[in-house]
Amino acid sequence: MNDQARETGTEPIRARVRFHLPEAALDSLFGEIRSRPGLRPSTHWLGLRRHRQSLRGDRIVDWIERRLGIDRAEAYTIGRRLVARGYLVPIQGDHDFEDSPTLYRFDDPNPVAGTTAGEPASPVPIGELAARMRAAQGIRPRTHHYRFVRYPNCFTGRDAVEWIMAETGVGRAEAIAIGQHLLLRNQLRHVFDEHAFADAGLLYRFV
């Protein structure tokens, strides 16, 4: 990289990063982000869908930049590490962290031993379990009616919990935690995006 590129700011972002945050400090920083003075999730719209309790990637970078007094490239790198650790989960698909209006949610900051960060304990890997749920022998979505309105291709949270228990042999509390994680990982969603996952008659669809 020549001196002109450095002076004009055209040096690649990755080459300009100098700051390093130790892993223990990263955990502490995430605790601050989730605390009351930290970042407050809010409702955002993505197309015609409403996403409650979500955060924009660029706002996360803003907060890290101000809190640590570092430049934007370094704050962005820390955002990527938070996603890699499972502390932040992209709402749409499985992608890396972006300094943009891309939306994220908080995930469980206390992973269980033997699982990836934020992932509940399960005898079946979460990704494999999600694939089984969609398969022919998995949960069978059907049409439900609520207050005279027809909702096709849905299943209830209670149906999902019962299926997870039967498929994995875990208890009800563990099955509910797995269902919550599947919703956070954008494998399923409430029909109106108004509720978290619950062991109840609430309706959900595969994403």
Side-chain angles (χ1 to χ4, degrees):
M1 183 61 60
N2 58 39
D3 292 338
Q4 182 181 3
R6 291 190 180 93
E7 290 173 2
T8 58
T10 57
E11 181 183 1
I13 286 177
R14 188 171 297 177
R16 297 203 303 270
V17 173
R18 298 287 186 271
F19 180 83
H20 176 70
L21 190 72
E23 290 300 310
L26 184 70
D27 296 340
S28 177
L29 180 69
F30 180 71
E32 288 189 42
I33 291 174
R34 289 198 72 160
S35 68
R36 183 177 293 275
L39 276 168
R40 294 196 178 181
S42 58
T43 298
H44 295 88
W45 289 86
L46 199 59
L48 298 177
R49 289 183 58 184
R50 178 174 56 183
H51 296 277
R52 297 174 183 270
Q53 297 297 305
S54 58
L55 301 155
R56 287 174 41 157
D58 52 359
R59 298 290 184 262
I60 296 169
V61 175
D62 289 343
W63 188 91
I64 296 171
E65 188 178 12
R66 290 194 306 270
R67 175 64 183 84
L68 298 180
I70 57 180
D71 69 31
R72 195 163 193 86
E74 294 164 340
Y76 161 74
T77 298
I78 291 173
R80 292 187 64 187
R81 290 172 64 192
L82 290 170
V83 170
R85 288 287 298 272
Y87 288 149
L88 296 172
V89 179
I91 283 178
Q92 279 203 320
D94 186 14
H95 56 77
D96 205 346
F97 181 75
E98 297 179 10
D99 181 4
S100 73
T102 303
L103 299 180
Y104 300 86
R105 285 194 179 107
F106 290 136
D107 202 353
D108 183 359
N110 299 305
V112 178
T115 68
T116 60
E119 184 174 299
S122 170
V124 180
I126 295 296
E128 180 182 339
L129 188 65
R132 289 189 194 179
M133 289 181 76
R134 296 170 180 266
Q137 301 304 315
I139 293 178
R140 301 221 178 154
R142 59 187 179 85
T143 297
H144 290 259
H145 293 83
Y146 179 68
R147 293 184 177 175
F148 306 107
V149 178
R150 181 174 174 268
Y151 298 94
N153 299 315
C154 299
F155 52 89
T156 68
R158 188 172 295 111
D159 289 339
V161 168
E162 295 290 345
W163 184 89
I164 292 169
M165 291 172 63
E167 188 71 14
T168 65
V170 301
R172 185 167 292 275
E174 291 83 358
I176 294 170
I178 291 170
Q180 292 169 341
H181 189 75
L182 289 168
L183 186 141
L184 285 170
R185 291 295 183 187
N186 206 38
Q187 296 294 328
L188 53 91
R189 54 176 282 257
H190 180 254
V191 290
F192 294 127
D193 292 319
E194 291 182 346
H195 294 280
F197 182 80
D199 180 15
L202 297 172
L203 298 178
Y204 300 87
R205 289 191 177 111
F206 292 124
V207 175

